[in-house]
Amino acid sequence: MELRLNGQLVTVPETIRTIADLIHHLKCVNRLIIVEQNGIILEKGHHETAEVKNGDTIELVQFVGGG
């Protein structure tokens, strides 16, 4: 399946069905991430149910602490 992820065209396994699956695939678990799917910001509680489809545009923004 092809997605536009943070502006880049990427191919991910067809086994990825949800945003949560994508986050696990990208090894971004346990990080504070904001997800935008096709121009809509998703609440964290919807990551498990939001379906990922071929051609979707996904933006993942990670917050990084520092000083």
Side-chain angles (χ1 to χ4, degrees):
M1 166 170 40
E2 288 189 346
L3 305 173
R4 183 156 303 277
L5 181 62
N6 293 345
Q8 301 287 330
L9 191 60
V10 298
T11 301
V12 297
E14 294 289 333
T15 55
I16 294 174
R17 303 272 185 223
T18 66
I19 292 294
D21 293 341
L22 180 63
I23 290 170
H24 280 84
H25 174 74
L26 297 172
K27 297 178 174 68
C28 293
V29 179
N30 298 324
R31 296 185 187 175
L32 182 55
I33 296 176
I34 302 300
V35 179
E36 180 183 288
Q37 182 179 25
N38 299 322
I40 299 170
I41 295 175
L42 300 178
E43 292 182 31
K44 185 175 182 177
H46 294 167
H47 293 181
E48 293 287 336
T49 57
E51 294 182 6
V52 176
K53 296 186 175 99
N54 190 51
D56 277 356
T57 298
I58 310 281
E59 295 288 329
L60 300 178
V61 178
Q62 295 184 69
F63 289 93
V64 179

